[in-house]
Amino acid sequence: MLIGYARVSTSEQDTAAQVVALKAAGCELIFREKASGGRWYRPELHKLLGQLRKGDVLVVWKLDRLSRSLRDVLTLMERVQERKAGFRS
């Protein structure tokens, strides 16, 4: 299953453009979040990671929607790999 993650940093921003792109990419389930990419605690992202199963693919519109921190991106990729899932940006 393709699972999308859409994130914006502020309440003034909207995830609509990301959601359209994720649906066009074939995502069946999309998690949306309004939180800074510099924060590790993002409930929707962690909920998504908890639902990833073998063969699933985490999809983001752009890599910076996942995190602004390279260290966090690498940690997240390890978690995706541990679940034998894939990643696409």
Side-chain angles (χ1 to χ4, degrees), residues 10-76:
T10 68
S11 59
E12 293 83 31
Q13 296 172 315
D14 193 326
T15 59
Q18 293 177 54
V19 170
V20 168
L22 293 168
K23 285 181 180 179
C27 291
E28 299 174 44
L29 181 60
I30 298 173
F31 289 81
R32 301 169 195 190
E33 191 142 57
K34 291 189 179 190
S36 170
R39 290 183 18 209
W40 178 248
Y41 183 70
R42 288 179 272 152
E44 291 301 306
L45 175 59
H46 292 287
K47 195 182 302 182
L48 181 158
L49 292 171
Q51 289 190 13
L52 276 180
R53 301 292 177 252
K54 182 178 180 179
D56 287 346
V57 177
L58 166 58
V59 182
V60 294
W61 180 53
K62 291 170 67 175
L63 187 57
D64 69 347
R65 299 299 83 204
L66 191 58
S67 180
R68 292 188 321 218
S69 161
L70 177 57
R71 179 175 297 189
D72 288 351
V73 169
L74 294 173
T75 299
L76 291 166

